[in-house]
Amino acid sequence: MSYDLVVLGGGPAGYLACERAAHEGLKVVLIEKRNVGGVCLNEGCIPSKTFLYSAKLKDGAEHGDKYGVKCRGIEIDHPAVVARKNKVVKTLTGGIASMLKGLKVEWVKAAGVIKGKGPDGYEVEADGKVYAAKRLLIATGSEAAMPPIDGLREQYEKGFALTNREILDIEAVPKKLVVIGGGVIGLEMASYFNSAGSEVTVIEMLEQIGGPIDADIAKLLKKNYEDKGITFKMGCRVTRIENGAVVYEEAGKQQKAECDKTLVCIGRKANTQGIGLESIGVLTERGAVVTDERMKTNLPEVYAAGDVNGKSMLAHTAYREAEVAINNMLGRKDKMKYNAIPGVIYTNPEVAGVGETEQSAKEKGLDVTIKKVPMQFAGRYVAENEGGNGFIKIIVDNKWNKLLGVHMITNYSSEIIWGADALVDKEMNIESIKKIVFPHPTVSEIIREAIWQL
């Protein structure tokens, strides 16, 4: 069976590539063994946000007294939260499947393996049939990394140790939860289960939570969650997982954190094993497919987009990479830029940032001005955040007087950061930004206020 494009993997990169290609009149076949939507829609971005929204409503009601709204007996009905999560996921995955069907994209619900290159192009075998096309897009995504921790595999098989996939289907809130890894996934799940009533401990090897986020924001976020009852063990290495406990090393001494469940989220690895890359000689590096700025691999008409190339494991990055790949397949010159990819942690409060941080700018020796402004400069923030302690930090290039980075910790930051992303991506100078009219009152006005504080 011959096509214009074979897409291997139906996550954000895969299904969006199918949509864009089909709109351009290409005959497309998608090979995906699970539901479309990938990790993001089925066991990541979307389901975790349903959890976090429920927690946000509960936290707001619990502290309503500050706003003249008195509520009592507030609790999270976890089974109901899971049921709603499943409904949301079913609605969205069904919508994507319907969209692909409407565009006449053929979806083969089976595992696909690249077999080689034949007279009709690159060949992928799935469900006992071979699908061939002149072009191939590898979009097989990623999976949770399973480090070589003593006892992890055994406890994972027993259901004591969980990954992001299993934690979202857990039937009951554990009394005690240990989260291994203080990155985005770990913090978001720690946030939800803390609100749901768990006694949460986060164990992180580094001295900062949140990975590469701004250091001041990381400190404030950690303080806020310590105030809510979350315990952080920083600079600690997990050495063993046993039934009912996580053993870790702290200041050279072995410590034990007893718990009912442990969530392992120390990163993700590209899904490149067992898909037949070696059959055509696709170049990989550190387990990820090597691509250039046009999403091309080392082979003609073979592209890779999304987590599988290991460049930026975010769904919105995958969307853009898919568009770049399709544009180049069609002869339209397009390239990927990674200097302005926004990142968000959907905790309460939210954290968002784009571009250079204060630390990265200093490491690169850039001549910059750093301005940190309290969120109290935005009237709506004050109206809606009694006792709030959020802030924004901007990084400005002194030579060219342009914005290099924006980082904030505040409610709505996930909805604001795209505007900051546009300012950084388009390399707007400060005088031009000052002329932008922001609606009032909005939390987003803090960007304007920060600019005028320079």
Side-chain angles (χ1 to χ4, degrees), residues 56 217 220-221 224 344-353 373-378 380-382 384-385 388-393 406-417 442-447:
K56 185 176 181 179
I217 287 178
L220 180 57
L221 184 64
N224 284 347
V344 181
I345 305 177
Y346 294 85
T347 46
N348 185 18
E350 294 177 347
V351 169
V373 176
M375 288 304 302
Q376 281 78 4
F377 276 70
R380 185 179 176 187
Y381 178 85
V382 177
E384 296 183 357
N385 292 270
N389 58 2
F391 65 86
I392 185 174
K393 181 184 286 189
V406 177
H407 306 273
M408 61 184 78
I409 177 169
T410 174
N411 56 330
Y412 307 120
S413 62
S414 63
E415 299 292 344
I416 297 170
I417 199 63
T442 59
V443 181
S444 65
E445 285 180 289
I446 195 65
I447 295 176

mmCIF file of all heavy atoms in Angstrom, residues 56 217 220-221 224 344-353 373-378 380-382 384-385 388-393 406-417 442-447:
data_model
loop_
_atom_site.group_PDB
_atom_site.id
_atom_site.type_symbol
_atom_site.label_atom_id
_atom_site.label_comp_id
_atom_site.label_asym_id
_atom_site.label_seq_id
_atom_site.Cartn_x
_atom_site.Cartn_y
_atom_site.Cartn_z
ATOM 1 N N LYS A 56 -6.959 23.020 42.608
ATOM 2 C CA LYS A 56 -7.029 24.485 42.673
ATOM 3 C C LYS A 56 -8.377 24.942 43.218
ATOM 4 O O LYS A 56 -8.456 25.860 44.042
ATOM 5 C CB LYS A 56 -6.780 25.081 41.283
ATOM 6 C CG LYS A 56 -6.699 26.595 41.245
ATOM 7 C CD LYS A 56 -6.359 27.069 39.843
ATOM 8 C CE LYS A 56 -6.254 28.594 39.785
ATOM 9 N NZ LYS A 56 -5.905 29.059 38.423
ATOM 10 N N ILE A 217 12.739 31.997 41.429
ATOM 11 C CA ILE A 217 11.399 31.413 41.333
ATOM 12 C C ILE A 217 11.389 30.034 41.974
ATOM 13 O O ILE A 217 10.448 29.673 42.699
ATOM 14 C CB ILE A 217 10.935 31.343 39.869
ATOM 15 C CG1 ILE A 217 10.588 32.756 39.375
ATOM 16 C CG2 ILE A 217 9.737 30.404 39.698
ATOM 17 C CD1 ILE A 217 10.163 32.833 37.928
ATOM 18 N N LEU A 220 11.198 30.424 45.748
ATOM 19 C CA LEU A 220 9.880 30.852 46.221
ATOM 20 C C LEU A 220 8.856 29.725 46.099
ATOM 21 O O LEU A 220 8.044 29.507 47.007
ATOM 22 C CB LEU A 220 9.409 32.078 45.439
ATOM 23 C CG LEU A 220 8.030 32.625 45.837
ATOM 24 C CD1 LEU A 220 7.994 32.967 47.324
ATOM 25 C CD2 LEU A 220 7.674 33.845 44.991
ATOM 26 N N LEU A 221 8.905 28.996 44.983
ATOM 27 C CA LEU A 221 7.972 27.891 44.795
ATOM 28 C C LEU A 221 8.181 26.833 45.876
ATOM 29 O O LEU A 221 7.222 26.315 46.455
ATOM 30 C CB LEU A 221 8.156 27.275 43.409
ATOM 31 C CG LEU A 221 7.172 26.164 43.036
ATOM 32 C CD1 LEU A 221 5.749 26.699 42.966
ATOM 33 C CD2 LEU A 221 7.558 25.518 41.708
ATOM 34 N N ASN A 224 6.754 28.128 49.166
ATOM 35 C CA ASN A 224 5.291 28.082 49.168
ATOM 36 C C ASN A 224 4.789 26.670 49.447
ATOM 37 O O ASN A 224 3.810 26.473 50.180
ATOM 38 C CB ASN A 224 4.741 28.571 47.832
ATOM 39 C CG ASN A 224 4.812 30.081 47.680
ATOM 40 O OD1 ASN A 224 5.055 30.799 48.657
ATOM 41 N ND2 ASN A 224 4.626 30.576 46.466
ATOM 42 N N VAL A 344 6.290 25.778 31.323
ATOM 43 C CA VAL A 344 5.294 26.056 32.355
ATOM 44 C C VAL A 344 5.263 24.919 33.366
ATOM 45 O O VAL A 344 5.368 23.748 33.002
ATOM 46 C CB VAL A 344 3.881 26.221 31.748
ATOM 47 C CG1 VAL A 344 2.866 26.529 32.840
ATOM 48 C CG2 VAL A 344 3.849 27.315 30.688
ATOM 49 N N ILE A 345 5.121 25.272 34.635
ATOM 50 C CA ILE A 345 4.818 24.304 35.687
ATOM 51 C C ILE A 345 3.453 24.701 36.239
ATOM 52 O O ILE A 345 3.277 25.802 36.757
ATOM 53 C CB ILE A 345 5.871 24.313 36.802
ATOM 54 C CG1 ILE A 345 7.276 24.097 36.228
ATOM 55 C CG2 ILE A 345 5.563 23.231 37.834
ATOM 56 C CD1 ILE A 345 8.383 24.160 37.272
ATOM 57 N N TYR A 346 2.471 23.803 36.122
ATOM 58 C CA TYR A 346 1.084 24.145 36.437
ATOM 59 C C TYR A 346 0.746 23.911 37.901
ATOM 60 O O TYR A 346 -0.303 23.369 38.241
ATOM 61 C CB TYR A 346 0.151 23.346 35.537
ATOM 62 C CG TYR A 346 0.262 23.715 34.079
ATOM 63 C CD1 TYR A 346 1.234 23.126 33.273
ATOM 64 C CD2 TYR A 346 -0.584 24.654 33.495
ATOM 65 C CE1 TYR A 346 1.353 23.462 31.931
ATOM 66 C CE2 TYR A 346 -0.470 25.005 32.159
ATOM 67 C CZ TYR A 346 0.507 24.401 31.389
ATOM 68 O OH TYR A 346 0.630 24.737 30.061
ATOM 69 N N THR A 347 1.653 24.311 38.770
ATOM 70 C CA THR A 347 1.391 24.249 40.197
ATOM 71 C C THR A 347 0.482 25.418 40.568
ATOM 72 O O THR A 347 0.033 26.177 39.718
ATOM 73 C CB THR A 347 2.714 24.322 40.968
ATOM 74 O OG1 THR A 347 3.519 25.376 40.410
ATOM 75 C CG2 THR A 347 3.488 23.021 40.869
ATOM 76 N N ASN A 348 0.211 25.586 41.844
ATOM 77 C CA ASN A 348 -0.605 26.719 42.297
ATOM 78 C C ASN A 348 0.188 27.462 43.364
ATOM 79 O O ASN A 348 0.263 27.002 44.498
ATOM 80 C CB ASN A 348 -1.927 26.206 42.867
ATOM 81 C CG ASN A 348 -2.870 27.331 43.249
ATOM 82 O OD1 ASN A 348 -2.705 28.469 42.808
ATOM 83 N ND2 ASN A 348 -3.857 27.028 44.078
ATOM 84 N N PRO A 349 0.859 28.578 43.030
ATOM 85 C CA PRO A 349 0.753 29.330 41.780
ATOM 86 C C PRO A 349 1.539 28.695 40.638
ATOM 87 O O PRO A 349 2.418 27.869 40.864
ATOM 88 C CB PRO A 349 1.353 30.695 42.142
ATOM 89 C CG PRO A 349 2.368 30.359 43.202
ATOM 90 C CD PRO A 349 1.753 29.253 43.998
ATOM 91 N N GLU A 350 1.175 29.114 39.425
ATOM 92 C CA GLU A 350 1.864 28.614 38.241
ATOM 93 C C GLU A 350 3.223 29.290 38.071
ATOM 94 O O GLU A 350 3.427 30.422 38.513
ATOM 95 C CB GLU A 350 1.020 28.875 36.988
ATOM 96 C CG GLU A 350 -0.277 28.104 36.959
ATOM 97 C CD GLU A 350 -1.116 28.430 35.739
ATOM 98 O OE1 GLU A 350 -0.822 29.417 35.039
ATOM 99 O OE2 GLU A 350 -2.086 27.680 35.490
ATOM 100 N N VAL A 351 4.109 28.563 37.400
ATOM 101 C CA VAL A 351 5.422 29.098 37.051
ATOM 102 C C VAL A 351 5.558 29.039 35.536
ATOM 103 O O VAL A 351 5.194 28.037 34.920
ATOM 104 C CB VAL A 351 6.548 28.267 37.700
ATOM 105 C CG1 VAL A 351 7.904 28.640 37.120
ATOM 106 C CG2 VAL A 351 6.547 28.453 39.215
ATOM 107 N N ALA A 352 6.055 30.104 34.930
ATOM 108 C CA ALA A 352 6.266 30.100 33.487
ATOM 109 C C ALA A 352 7.485 30.940 33.149
ATOM 110 O O ALA A 352 7.805 31.913 33.838
ATOM 111 C CB ALA A 352 5.038 30.639 32.745
ATOM 112 N N GLY A 353 8.164 30.547 32.079
ATOM 113 C CA GLY A 353 9.335 31.305 31.666
ATOM 114 C C GLY A 353 9.681 31.044 30.225
ATOM 115 O O GLY A 353 9.284 30.022 29.646
ATOM 116 N N VAL A 373 10.307 42.426 39.581
ATOM 117 C CA VAL A 373 9.208 43.292 40.013
ATOM 118 C C VAL A 373 8.127 42.457 40.706
ATOM 119 O O VAL A 373 7.687 41.436 40.158
ATOM 120 C CB VAL A 373 8.598 44.040 38.806
ATOM 121 C CG1 VAL A 373 7.393 44.862 39.229
ATOM 122 C CG2 VAL A 373 9.647 44.926 38.147
ATOM 123 N N PRO A 374 7.666 42.864 41.871
ATOM 124 C CA PRO A 374 6.597 42.131 42.564
ATOM 125 C C PRO A 374 5.294 42.164 41.761
ATOM 126 O O PRO A 374 4.994 43.151 41.084
ATOM 127 C CB PRO A 374 6.439 42.882 43.885
ATOM 128 C CG PRO A 374 7.695 43.671 44.047
ATOM 129 C CD PRO A 374 8.145 44.016 42.653
ATOM 130 N N MET A 375 4.525 41.103 41.865
ATOM 131 C CA MET A 375 3.253 41.047 41.157
ATOM 132 C C MET A 375 2.254 42.085 41.678
ATOM 133 O O MET A 375 1.258 42.384 41.021
ATOM 134 C CB MET A 375 2.640 39.653 41.271
ATOM 135 C CG MET A 375 3.343 38.587 40.461
ATOM 136 S SD MET A 375 3.470 38.963 38.696
ATOM 137 C CE MET A 375 1.741 39.153 38.285
ATOM 138 N N GLN A 376 2.546 42.666 42.848
ATOM 139 C CA GLN A 376 1.658 43.690 43.394
ATOM 140 C C GLN A 376 1.572 44.935 42.518
ATOM 141 O O GLN A 376 0.715 45.798 42.722
ATOM 142 C CB GLN A 376 2.110 44.088 44.805
ATOM 143 C CG GLN A 376 1.711 43.105 45.894
ATOM 144 C CD GLN A 376 2.603 41.882 45.921
ATOM 145 O OE1 GLN A 376 3.577 41.780 45.176
ATOM 146 N NE2 GLN A 376 2.273 40.939 46.794
ATOM 147 N N PHE A 377 2.462 45.025 41.503
ATOM 148 C CA PHE A 377 2.380 46.147 40.565
ATOM 149 C C PHE A 377 1.199 45.979 39.610
ATOM 150 O O PHE A 377 0.878 46.908 38.876
ATOM 151 C CB PHE A 377 3.684 46.265 39.776
ATOM 152 C CG PHE A 377 4.755 47.044 40.486
ATOM 153 C CD1 PHE A 377 5.382 46.528 41.612
ATOM 154 C CD2 PHE A 377 5.130 48.299 40.042
ATOM 155 C CE1 PHE A 377 6.366 47.240 42.267
ATOM 156 C CE2 PHE A 377 6.117 49.028 40.700
ATOM 157 C CZ PHE A 377 6.737 48.493 41.823
ATOM 158 N N ALA A 378 0.574 44.801 39.598
ATOM 159 C CA ALA A 378 -0.598 44.561 38.750
ATOM 160 C C ALA A 378 -1.841 44.565 39.633
ATOM 161 O O ALA A 378 -1.984 43.724 40.529
ATOM 162 C CB ALA A 378 -0.473 43.222 38.019
ATOM 163 N N ARG A 380 -5.005 43.725 39.239
ATOM 164 C CA ARG A 380 -5.857 42.547 39.297
ATOM 165 C C ARG A 380 -5.233 41.464 40.173
ATOM 166 O O ARG A 380 -5.952 40.739 40.870
ATOM 167 C CB ARG A 380 -6.121 42.006 37.895
ATOM 168 C CG ARG A 380 -7.107 40.846 37.917
ATOM 169 C CD ARG A 380 -7.420 40.301 36.553
ATOM 170 N NE ARG A 380 -8.288 39.136 36.669
ATOM 171 C CZ ARG A 380 -8.637 38.343 35.659
ATOM 172 N NH1 ARG A 380 -8.205 38.615 34.434
ATOM 173 N NH2 ARG A 380 -9.425 37.314 35.851
ATOM 174 N N TYR A 381 -3.935 41.347 40.131
ATOM 175 C CA TYR A 381 -3.261 40.362 40.980
ATOM 176 C C TYR A 381 -3.552 40.652 42.449
ATOM 177 O O TYR A 381 -3.863 39.745 43.226
ATOM 178 C CB TYR A 381 -1.754 40.387 40.727
ATOM 179 C CG TYR A 381 -0.990 39.431 41.616
ATOM 180 C CD1 TYR A 381 -0.843 38.094 41.259
ATOM 181 C CD2 TYR A 381 -0.430 39.856 42.828
ATOM 182 C CE1 TYR A 381 -0.155 37.197 42.075
ATOM 183 C CE2 TYR A 381 0.265 38.974 43.646
ATOM 184 C CZ TYR A 381 0.397 37.654 43.274
ATOM 185 O OH TYR A 381 1.066 36.783 44.087
ATOM 186 N N VAL A 382 -3.455 41.920 42.849
ATOM 187 C CA VAL A 382 -3.717 42.294 44.234
ATOM 188 C C VAL A 382 -5.163 41.983 44.602
ATOM 189 O O VAL A 382 -5.456 41.481 45.697
ATOM 190 C CB VAL A 382 -3.405 43.786 44.458
ATOM 191 C CG1 VAL A 382 -3.759 44.204 45.889
ATOM 192 C CG2 VAL A 382 -1.935 44.077 44.178
ATOM 193 N N GLU A 384 -7.053 39.661 43.460
ATOM 194 C CA GLU A 384 -7.378 38.238 43.466
ATOM 195 C C GLU A 384 -6.412 37.382 44.274
ATOM 196 O O GLU A 384 -6.626 36.170 44.398
ATOM 197 C CB GLU A 384 -7.417 37.720 42.019
ATOM 198 C CG GLU A 384 -8.514 38.374 41.188
ATOM 199 C CD GLU A 384 -8.592 37.815 39.775
ATOM 200 O OE1 GLU A 384 -7.757 36.953 39.411
ATOM 201 O OE2 GLU A 384 -9.485 38.243 39.037
ATOM 202 N N ASN A 385 -5.376 37.976 44.842
ATOM 203 C CA ASN A 385 -4.366 37.199 45.563
ATOM 204 C C ASN A 385 -4.030 37.859 46.896
ATOM 205 O O ASN A 385 -3.021 38.557 47.020
ATOM 206 C CB ASN A 385 -3.105 37.039 44.717
ATOM 207 C CG ASN A 385 -3.326 36.168 43.505
ATOM 208 O OD1 ASN A 385 -3.155 34.956 43.549
ATOM 209 N ND2 ASN A 385 -3.723 36.791 42.401
ATOM 210 N N GLY A 388 -0.493 37.530 48.322
ATOM 211 C CA GLY A 388 0.314 36.890 47.289
ATOM 212 C C GLY A 388 1.745 37.390 47.270
ATOM 213 O O GLY A 388 2.009 38.556 47.580
ATOM 214 N N ASN A 389 2.683 36.512 46.909
ATOM 215 C CA ASN A 389 4.104 36.892 46.915
ATOM 216 C C ASN A 389 4.783 36.623 45.578
ATOM 217 O O ASN A 389 5.993 36.449 45.505
ATOM 218 C CB ASN A 389 4.849 36.159 48.032
ATOM 219 C CG ASN A 389 4.738 34.635 47.912
ATOM 220 O OD1 ASN A 389 4.141 34.120 46.972
ATOM 221 N ND2 ASN A 389 5.310 33.926 48.879
ATOM 222 N N GLY A 390 4.010 36.588 44.491
ATOM 223 C CA GLY A 390 4.580 36.323 43.177
ATOM 224 C C GLY A 390 5.414 37.480 42.644
ATOM 225 O O GLY A 390 5.380 38.596 43.173
ATOM 226 N N PHE A 391 6.159 37.212 41.590
ATOM 227 C CA PHE A 391 6.955 38.266 40.952
ATOM 228 C C PHE A 391 7.257 37.894 39.511
ATOM 229 O O PHE A 391 7.047 36.758 39.077
ATOM 230 C CB PHE A 391 8.260 38.517 41.721
ATOM 231 C CG PHE A 391 9.228 37.358 41.720
ATOM 232 C CD1 PHE A 391 10.133 37.177 40.680
ATOM 233 C CD2 PHE A 391 9.243 36.447 42.767
ATOM 234 C CE1 PHE A 391 11.036 36.115 40.675
ATOM 235 C CE2 PHE A 391 10.137 35.381 42.780
ATOM 236 C CZ PHE A 391 11.030 35.215 41.730
ATOM 237 N N ILE A 392 7.731 38.872 38.771
ATOM 238 C CA ILE A 392 8.213 38.674 37.404
ATOM 239 C C ILE A 392 9.658 39.118 37.343
ATOM 240 O O ILE A 392 10.062 40.045 38.061
ATOM 241 C CB ILE A 392 7.354 39.470 36.387
ATOM 242 C CG1 ILE A 392 7.794 39.154 34.949
ATOM 243 C CG2 ILE A 392 7.441 40.960 36.646
ATOM 244 C CD1 ILE A 392 6.903 39.782 33.879
ATOM 245 N N LYS A 393 10.433 38.446 36.515
ATOM 246 C CA LYS A 393 11.824 38.836 36.314
ATOM 247 C C LYS A 393 12.071 38.908 34.806
ATOM 248 O O LYS A 393 11.734 37.970 34.076
ATOM 249 C CB LYS A 393 12.784 37.834 36.951
ATOM 250 C CG LYS A 393 14.252 38.208 36.802
ATOM 251 C CD LYS A 393 15.167 37.132 37.355
ATOM 252 C CE LYS A 393 15.163 37.109 38.864
ATOM 253 N NZ LYS A 393 16.219 36.194 39.394
ATOM 254 N N VAL A 406 11.861 36.238 30.031
ATOM 255 C CA VAL A 406 10.797 36.638 30.953
ATOM 256 C C VAL A 406 10.437 35.416 31.797
ATOM 257 O O VAL A 406 10.191 34.333 31.259
ATOM 258 C CB VAL A 406 9.537 37.125 30.210
ATOM 259 C CG1 VAL A 406 8.427 37.471 31.204
ATOM 260 C CG2 VAL A 406 9.848 38.323 29.332
ATOM 261 N N HIS A 407 10.398 35.605 33.125
ATOM 262 C CA HIS A 407 10.101 34.494 34.032
ATOM 263 C C HIS A 407 9.199 34.991 35.146
ATOM 264 O O HIS A 407 9.421 36.076 35.687
ATOM 265 C CB HIS A 407 11.405 33.916 34.587
ATOM 266 C CG HIS A 407 12.361 33.523 33.501
ATOM 267 N ND1 HIS A 407 12.327 32.290 32.903
ATOM 268 C CD2 HIS A 407 13.329 34.240 32.859
ATOM 269 C CE1 HIS A 407 13.243 32.244 31.945
ATOM 270 N NE2 HIS A 407 13.871 33.415 31.900
ATOM 271 N N MET A 408 8.167 34.209 35.483
ATOM 272 C CA MET A 408 7.196 34.672 36.466
ATOM 273 C C MET A 408 6.623 33.524 37.280
ATOM 274 O O MET A 408 6.584 32.376 36.844
ATOM 275 C CB MET A 408 6.068 35.432 35.769
ATOM 276 C CG MET A 408 5.275 34.610 34.759
ATOM 277 S SD MET A 408 4.019 35.597 33.874
ATOM 278 C CE MET A 408 5.068 36.455 32.694
ATOM 279 N N ILE A 409 6.192 33.863 38.483
ATOM 280 C CA ILE A 409 5.472 32.940 39.338
ATOM 281 C C ILE A 409 4.216 33.658 39.804
ATOM 282 O O ILE A 409 4.276 34.588 40.604
ATOM 283 C CB ILE A 409 6.335 32.433 40.518
ATOM 284 C CG1 ILE A 409 5.525 31.531 41.447
ATOM 285 C CG2 ILE A 409 7.011 33.573 41.267
ATOM 286 C CD1 ILE A 409 6.350 30.783 42.475
ATOM 287 N N THR A 410 3.082 33.246 39.235
ATOM 288 C CA THR A 410 1.811 33.913 39.502
ATOM 289 C C THR A 410 0.679 33.115 38.876
ATOM 290 O O THR A 410 0.912 32.314 37.975
ATOM 291 C CB THR A 410 1.801 35.338 38.922
ATOM 292 O OG1 THR A 410 0.489 35.903 39.083
ATOM 293 C CG2 THR A 410 2.132 35.338 37.433
ATOM 294 N N ASN A 411 -0.527 33.349 39.364
ATOM 295 C CA ASN A 411 -1.671 32.756 38.692
ATOM 296 C C ASN A 411 -1.758 33.323 37.274
ATOM 297 O O ASN A 411 -1.351 34.456 36.999
ATOM 298 C CB ASN A 411 -2.961 33.052 39.465
ATOM 299 C CG ASN A 411 -3.199 34.543 39.688
ATOM 300 O OD1 ASN A 411 -2.263 35.326 39.793
ATOM 301 N ND2 ASN A 411 -4.448 34.936 39.760
ATOM 302 N N TYR A 412 -2.255 32.526 36.374
ATOM 303 C CA TYR A 412 -2.417 32.862 34.955
ATOM 304 C C TYR A 412 -1.104 32.935 34.165
ATOM 305 O O TYR A 412 -1.116 33.279 32.985
ATOM 306 C CB TYR A 412 -3.157 34.200 34.753
ATOM 307 C CG TYR A 412 -4.475 34.327 35.460
ATOM 308 C CD1 TYR A 412 -4.701 35.332 36.398
ATOM 309 C CD2 TYR A 412 -5.505 33.433 35.188
ATOM 310 C CE1 TYR A 412 -5.912 35.448 37.057
ATOM 311 C CE2 TYR A 412 -6.727 33.539 35.839
ATOM 312 C CZ TYR A 412 -6.923 34.551 36.778
ATOM 313 O OH TYR A 412 -8.129 34.652 37.421
ATOM 314 N N SER A 413 0.014 32.627 34.783
ATOM 315 C CA SER A 413 1.275 32.779 34.043
ATOM 316 C C SER A 413 1.317 31.892 32.800
ATOM 317 O O SER A 413 1.936 32.249 31.800
ATOM 318 C CB SER A 413 2.481 32.497 34.947
ATOM 319 O OG SER A 413 2.465 31.173 35.425
ATOM 320 N N SER A 414 0.643 30.736 32.845
ATOM 321 C CA SER A 414 0.617 29.866 31.666
ATOM 322 C C SER A 414 -0.099 30.510 30.496
ATOM 323 O O SER A 414 0.192 30.217 29.332
ATOM 324 C CB SER A 414 -0.068 28.535 32.006
ATOM 325 O OG SER A 414 -1.422 28.738 32.379
ATOM 326 N N GLU A 415 -1.055 31.396 30.793
ATOM 327 C CA GLU A 415 -1.821 32.067 29.736
ATOM 328 C C GLU A 415 -1.171 33.376 29.300
ATOM 329 O O GLU A 415 -1.553 33.962 28.286
ATOM 330 C CB GLU A 415 -3.253 32.342 30.215
ATOM 331 C CG GLU A 415 -4.050 31.093 30.579
ATOM 332 C CD GLU A 415 -4.367 30.234 29.368
ATOM 333 O OE1 GLU A 415 -4.240 30.729 28.234
ATOM 334 O OE2 GLU A 415 -4.736 29.067 29.556
ATOM 335 N N ILE A 416 -0.210 33.844 30.072
ATOM 336 C CA ILE A 416 0.469 35.108 29.764
ATOM 337 C C ILE A 416 1.757 34.880 28.971
ATOM 338 O O ILE A 416 2.141 35.700 28.133
ATOM 339 C CB ILE A 416 0.801 35.865 31.076
ATOM 340 C CG1 ILE A 416 -0.483 36.238 31.825
ATOM 341 C CG2 ILE A 416 1.625 37.119 30.795
ATOM 342 C CD1 ILE A 416 -0.222 36.771 33.233
ATOM 343 N N ILE A 417 2.403 33.742 29.222
ATOM 344 C CA ILE A 417 3.775 33.560 28.743
ATOM 345 C C ILE A 417 3.884 33.565 27.224
ATOM 346 O O ILE A 417 4.940 33.904 26.679
ATOM 347 C CB ILE A 417 4.380 32.267 29.338
ATOM 348 C CG1 ILE A 417 5.905 32.295 29.237
ATOM 349 C CG2 ILE A 417 3.780 31.034 28.694
ATOM 350 C CD1 ILE A 417 6.574 33.400 30.018
ATOM 351 N N THR A 442 -5.469 43.597 34.153
ATOM 352 C CA THR A 442 -5.103 42.206 33.891
ATOM 353 C C THR A 442 -3.798 41.897 34.597
ATOM 354 O O THR A 442 -2.994 42.799 34.872
ATOM 355 C CB THR A 442 -4.915 41.933 32.385
ATOM 356 O OG1 THR A 442 -3.884 42.793 31.874
ATOM 357 C CG2 THR A 442 -6.206 42.138 31.609
ATOM 358 N N VAL A 443 -3.582 40.623 34.863
ATOM 359 C CA VAL A 443 -2.316 40.197 35.457
ATOM 360 C C VAL A 443 -1.182 40.379 34.444
ATOM 361 O O VAL A 443 -0.047 40.656 34.814
ATOM 362 C CB VAL A 443 -2.408 38.731 35.924
ATOM 363 C CG1 VAL A 443 -1.092 38.287 36.567
ATOM 364 C CG2 VAL A 443 -3.551 38.553 36.923
ATOM 365 N N SER A 444 -1.515 40.264 33.146
ATOM 366 C CA SER A 444 -0.485 40.376 32.105
ATOM 367 C C SER A 444 0.169 41.751 32.063
ATOM 368 O O SER A 444 1.268 41.901 31.532
ATOM 369 C CB SER A 444 -1.080 40.058 30.731
ATOM 370 O OG SER A 444 -2.053 41.011 30.357
ATOM 371 N N GLU A 445 -0.488 42.760 32.638
ATOM 372 C CA GLU A 445 0.096 44.106 32.678
ATOM 373 C C GLU A 445 1.440 44.136 33.394
ATOM 374 O O GLU A 445 2.202 45.100 33.242
ATOM 375 C CB GLU A 445 -0.842 45.070 33.405
ATOM 376 C CG GLU A 445 -2.053 45.497 32.622
ATOM 377 C CD GLU A 445 -2.914 46.443 33.449
ATOM 378 O OE1 GLU A 445 -3.545 45.974 34.401
ATOM 379 O OE2 GLU A 445 -2.929 47.647 33.128
ATOM 380 N N ILE A 446 1.722 43.093 34.153
ATOM 381 C CA ILE A 446 2.990 43.073 34.882
ATOM 382 C C ILE A 446 4.170 43.140 33.940
ATOM 383 O O ILE A 446 5.234 43.649 34.293
ATOM 384 C CB ILE A 446 3.071 41.820 35.786
ATOM 385 C CG1 ILE A 446 4.194 41.974 36.813
ATOM 386 C CG2 ILE A 446 3.234 40.557 34.970
ATOM 387 C CD1 ILE A 446 3.983 43.091 37.808
ATOM 388 N N ILE A 447 4.007 42.640 32.698
ATOM 389 C CA ILE A 447 5.093 42.723 31.718
ATOM 390 C C ILE A 447 5.377 44.187 31.404
ATOM 391 O O ILE A 447 6.535 44.639 31.384
ATOM 392 C CB ILE A 447 4.726 41.961 30.433
ATOM 393 C CG1 ILE A 447 4.591 40.469 30.736
ATOM 394 C CG2 ILE A 447 5.774 42.193 29.334
ATOM 395 C CD1 ILE A 447 4.143 39.630 29.550
#
